[in-house]
Amino acid sequence: MGGRPCDPPTPLGPSHDLYCIELVAAPGINGVSGRVELASPPGPFTVAVTADGHARFIPVVHLRGLAPSRTYIAWATTPQMDSLIRLGAVKNGRVTLRPIEFDKFNILISAERSARVREPSGRIILRGQSPSTRPFPPDLMEFSLGAAGSSHAMDQAEPDSSGWPMVPTPPGLMMLPSEMALRPDVTPFLPTAETPVPKAEPHEVLFLKDGDIVDLDAELVRRTIDGQSFTMYSYNGQYPGPLLEVSRGAEIMVRFTNHLSDSTSIHWHGIRLENAFDGVDGVGVSDAFTYKLRFPDAGIYWYHPHIREDIQQALGLYGNILVRDPGAKTFANREQILMLQDLLIGDPGLIPFGQESPTHALMGRFGNVFLVNGEPGYRLAVRRGEVVRFYLTNASSTRTLNLSFPGARMKLVAADAGPFEREAWVESVVIAPAERYVVDVRFDRAGAFPLVNQVRGLDHLFGRFIPLVDTLGVVTVSPRRVSPDFGAAFAALRRPPPPFAALEPYRRYIDRAPDKTLVLTLQTHGLPFVTERLMQLDSIYFAPVEWGGTMPMMNWASTGRQVRWVLKDPATGRENMDIVWHFRRGAPAKIRLVNERRAFHGMQHPIHLHGQRFLVLAVNGVPNEDLAWKDTVLVPAGAVVDILLDAQNPGEWMLHCHIAEHLSSGMMLHFTVD
Ligand code: C2O
Ligand code: CU
């Protein structure tokens, strides 16, 4: 059984420190003790947040020493006591209470005369504070640097001799002058062309049949984004690359030619294809390679290079593959296949990449311009009552999104490689890099419905949570009613027919001991003093997900030369590419992913396995109640995620973090299926 955060701490368990609150008895109270587990709500995502981005935890209280005859109530309040919620009545033993959705909170247990009280009126017996209350502003004098500067000071910053332009920073963040002076220790790189390059076009849809052959060319293009023009990469001159639409069971060939001035490749993310065509090996400059693809599973997949994704994918090398199930019925009026990306653009243009090694090696490169299918400002016009099926793919380097259409109802239908056992209403979709989700959204009122990413960023220096809201686009709903009206079908939560009911037998693995354990951690050397020091202060608390680039300078200046992200097998002590795991074909294997709390900088990691599929069994010991086949899973900071690998596809494959800068900083291993 997977340990829970309030179990006695073990090195391979979830972080006690981040997910368990020790309650403290009030003065004069003796013999009473307790803990509150901040449990991860069971699915569908490995991290739960509200539509506006507040973390959501289910408090599970364990209490001892209460008088059995008396009434005790648990409460949660914000630190300023301006909001109070009644979590419910508690007693000795374990009680699961209603969810808490505050950034920072206190938990109080009071002794009451009546179970019906609306606010604490009796004596407070026990209290505790959420781990998120721990960060506080450091003594800035310690840095002997005077007062903190604000990001506005950056406007006057001069371009310096390093050759790097300034990175844009989120407004309102405070930073130290020594932080603002940081620069990456690598050579800036952006593609250049001697001759004029063609203007990129929006992507086309290629409907492919069994036996078809298609050409894909990686080449330079000119793209205009928000009025600025850049030299970028493309497949076939398009953004994103062509959408390949095929039927399940089809086999096609892709003749690929590399016209870039660096080697590249195409990896077919999530597809259980033949090992030789997985696209991990580079195709040299001016070389060609023919990939043979087969599509055993319906779902939404994507393709991208497997060399310096931090550069190549960010510059536009990505496209979707929609594998249709010929028999499937869709109760939607239309479909939208959306690839989401955030691009980092400064005043003088794209912020260059690190030539020898990636910049942004700590947290990955967060962009400041949101692109939907390669363009800012996504627009869609629909009629009243329309049900739109959105196929979402996050092609960002590092940003996890929390997407919603406020005012429109959203139903979660499928994950990476197939439908959920049960459809579910969701208020938002949490989608990490490389993940895909399929949602049906009904627009039943006329008006404008923005597609927003709403998250809570952590201002690490001041320990504040700040709301970050990005509008990716707008759906305009006309007053005219749509026909046919799928309202009735939309209102029902369906269970897809077998074979998906066939997931049931896999449930018994939830209680099994893991076959393999993998620790996700970090090593650093030679980071600047200010970075080291700030990160030590910061390590007092890590949010489950780093949602925004709220340490922009420090992160930018950290390169793969100073930062090594590590996958460690605790059974052998081996790390990254020294690990070669073996799995027997057809034997499901349980893998425990442990995101180590003690890491210098805690962060979530979207972990991806090539050529196979898996189920997410549990998060911090809480079983998942709605299974779906996936190929990428987000492991929150300090958390333990159990997956069940369906090892069916023979060959030698990779497992890695899909944050492009983490992958380029070592975070990968090999496994074989024989
Ligand atoms: Cu989408 Cu190995 O990657
Ligand atoms: Cu990572």
Side-chain angles (χ1 to χ4, degrees):
M1 187 61 194
R4 308 264 303 225
C6 281
D7 291 351
T10 62
L12 300 177
S15 166
H16 186 87
D17 175 73
L18 296 178
Y19 300 108
C20 182
I21 300 173
E22 294 288 347
L23 297 176
V24 179
I29 303 287
N30 296 313
V32 182
S33 66
R35 298 185 302 272
V36 183
E37 175 188 345
L38 301 177
S40 165
F45 310 112
T46 52
V47 64
V49 288
T50 61
D52 69 359
H54 286 87
R56 174 185 286 141
F57 292 112
I58 296 181
V60 182
V61 190
H62 305 250
L63 298 172
R64 261 199 277 180
L66 299 176
S69 55
R70 297 204 54 182
T71 300
Y72 298 94
I73 308 289
W75 313 86
T77 74
T78 52
Q80 297 75 28
M81 308 275 187
D82 47 0
S83 283
L84 170 86
I85 57 167
R86 187 183 186 279
L87 295 172
V90 294
K91 52 183 174 21
N92 286 324
R94 183 189 142 110
V95 183
T96 300
L97 299 167
R98 55 174 277 207
I100 302 176
E101 299 166 352
F102 295 137
D103 289 330
K104 303 182 175 195
F105 53 92
N106 298 328
I107 288 188
L108 307 172
I109 312 273
S110 65
E112 301 291 348
R113 279 178 200 288
S114 152
R116 282 191 302 276
V117 289
R118 295 294 192 80
E119 341 191 298
S121 49
R123 184 147 186 216
I124 303 295
I125 304 291
L126 292 164
R127 67 175 86 229
Q129 291 183 305
S130 67
S132 53
T133 59
R134 287 196 301 252
F136 55 90
D139 177 1
L140 297 171
M141 292 312 287
E142 178 193 352
F143 293 89
S144 338
L145 299 164
S150 91
S151 61
H152 300 294
M154 310 250 315
D155 297 342
Q156 296 106 47
E158 302 281 323
D160 55 31
S161 56
S162 70
W164 287 94
M166 288 304 281
V167 283
T169 57
L173 266 190
M174 301 294 275
M175 277 180 288
L176 300 167
S178 54
E179 207 184 338
M180 296 200 303
L182 294 169
R183 296 291 179 278
D185 66 347
V186 287
T187 314
F189 168 81
L190 278 176
T192 51
E194 273 114 62
T195 52
V197 292
K199 221 171 124 265
E201 301 285 340
H203 74 300
E204 58 180 344
V205 187
L206 300 175
F207 298 94
L208 302 171
K209 297 183 311 302
D210 190 39
D212 279 355
I213 301 175
V214 49
D215 290 305
L216 282 184
D217 291 58
E219 54 201 22
L220 288 178
V221 280
R222 206 72 203 144
R223 271 171 70 180
T224 304
I225 296 170
D226 271 350
Q228 286 194 72
S229 165
F230 312 118
T231 302
M232 293 176 68
Y233 293 163
S234 80
Y235 291 119
N236 293 5
Q238 301 170 22
Y239 59 87
L243 166 62
L244 312 184
E245 199 177 311
V246 297
S247 286
R248 181 164 54 82
E251 220 176 88
I252 64 164
M253 307 270 240
V254 176
R255 289 189 302 220
F256 173 60
T257 313
N258 176 12
H259 301 287
L260 305 177
S261 48
D262 284 298
S263 77
T264 182
S265 71
I266 309 185
H267 168 61
W268 311 92
H269 184 115
I271 293 174
R272 298 195 294 168
L273 43 49
E274 226 176 285
N275 188 240
F277 305 107
D278 193 38
V280 166
D281 298 326
V283 177
V285 176
S286 307
D287 272 359
F289 185 84
T290 300
Y291 296 96
K292 188 174 81 184
L293 310 182
R294 59 162 197 238
F295 305 98
D297 312 294
I300 182 79
Y301 301 92
W302 66 301
Y303 58 95
H304 61 77
H306 222 283
I307 293 177
R308 288 303 298 270
E309 288 87 326
D310 63 303
I311 300 175
Q312 298 190 0
Q313 187 181 298
L315 285 171
L317 291 181
Y318 56 79
N320 265 138
I321 305 163
L322 179 58
V323 184
R324 290 201 189 266
D325 187 345
K329 267 206 226 98
T330 305
F331 301 96
N333 298 94
R334 76 171 83 206
E335 296 179 321
Q336 290 285 289
I337 292 142
L338 307 183
M339 302 201 85
L340 313 166
Q341 188 205 352
D342 60 335
L343 196 59
L344 185 59
I345 304 180
D347 280 337
L350 294 174
I351 298 300
F353 300 87
Q355 175 113 53
E356 305 85 351
S357 177
T359 61
H360 298 90
L362 279 171
M363 300 180 192
R365 178 180 289 233
F366 283 94
N368 57 346
V369 174
F370 287 78
L371 306 177
V372 176
N373 289 341
E375 280 191 294
Y378 166 69
R379 289 281 177 280
L380 178 70
V382 304
R383 289 195 177 168
R384 188 158 59 95
E386 252 192 66
V387 176
V388 182
R389 173 158 290 191
F390 290 95
Y391 296 82
L392 306 170
T393 302
N394 188 349
S396 305
S397 295
T398 191
R399 189 185 292 270
T400 297
L401 298 158
N402 180 42
L403 299 172
S404 61
F405 291 96
R409 225 171 162 206
M410 185 148 70
K411 183 160 82 170
L412 185 65
V413 174
D416 306 340
F420 282 94
E421 283 180 291
R422 261 172 287 107
E423 297 177 344
W425 299 114
V426 289
E427 53 186 284
S428 60
V429 177
V430 175
I431 182 167
E435 282 191 306
R436 286 89 63 213
Y437 285 104
V438 183
V439 288
D440 284 351
V441 183
R442 185 158 194 260
F443 298 94
D444 53 9
R445 282 181 294 115
F449 293 81
L451 168 58
V452 289
N453 173 45
Q454 295 187 87
V455 298
R456 310 286 295 173
L458 180 57
D459 175 345
H460 297 261
L461 191 53
F462 284 84
R464 295 176 302 159
F465 287 86
I466 40 182
L468 305 173
V469 181
D470 310 293
T471 301
L472 281 67
V474 180
V475 176
T476 316
V477 184
S478 75
R480 273 189 61 193
R481 285 214 71 90
V482 72
S483 158
D485 186 334
F486 290 113
F490 179 76
L493 292 179
R494 272 181 304 273
R495 278 173 169 274
F500 297 101
L503 292 183
E504 203 47 45
Y506 292 102
R507 266 183 212 290
R508 62 195 163 93
Y509 288 89
I510 287 181
D511 292 332
R512 287 238 193 131
D515 299 288
K516 300 273 184 217
T517 299
L518 196 61
V519 175
L520 321 181
T521 188
L522 170 68
Q523 286 161 2
T524 63
H525 64 274
L527 282 170
F529 171 76
V530 60
T531 304
E532 291 267 358
R533 198 63 199 101
L534 283 170
M535 297 200 62
Q536 273 158 22
L537 292 168
D538 179 49
S539 70
I540 195 161
Y541 169 70
F542 299 125
V545 170
E546 174 74 44
W547 295 98
T550 50
M551 284 176 150
M553 300 300 291
M554 241 171 69
N555 182 31
W556 174 44
S558 67
T559 68
R561 289 173 161 173
Q562 300 149 334
V563 173
R564 179 170 175 259
W565 285 98
V566 178
L567 301 171
K568 187 160 115 198
D569 181 350
T572 60
R574 287 175 181 265
E575 295 181 350
N576 291 349
M577 291 302 270
D578 290 337
I579 301 175
V580 187
W581 279 350
H582 300 281
F583 298 104
R584 209 153 41 82
R585 188 176 180 188
K590 180 166 169 179
I591 304 174
R592 175 160 294 170
L593 303 167
V594 180
N595 193 346
E596 191 176 56
R597 160 62 174 113
R598 280 169 305 159
F600 180 55
H601 181 70
M603 210 177 147
Q604 73 280 2
H605 301 282
I607 298 294
H608 168 50
L609 281 95
H610 284 205
Q612 323 291 329
R613 59 184 186 176
F614 59 76
L615 300 170
V616 178
L617 292 180
V619 179
N620 285 350
V622 177
N624 184 1
E625 291 169 359
D626 198 1
L627 301 174
W629 289 116
K630 287 182 64 64
D631 52 57
T632 307
V633 63
L634 184 65
V635 184
V640 173
V641 172
D642 289 342
I643 62 173
L644 188 69
L645 177 67
D646 183 28
Q648 296 286 359
N649 194 10
E652 182 174 347
W653 306 93
M654 289 184 77
L655 176 158
H656 63 86
C657 176
H658 219 288
I659 292 177
E661 292 76 10
H662 290 187
L663 173 56
S664 294
S665 306
M667 209 170 192
M668 57 184 143
L669 61 78
H670 274 183
F671 67 93
T672 64
V673 175
D674 10 61

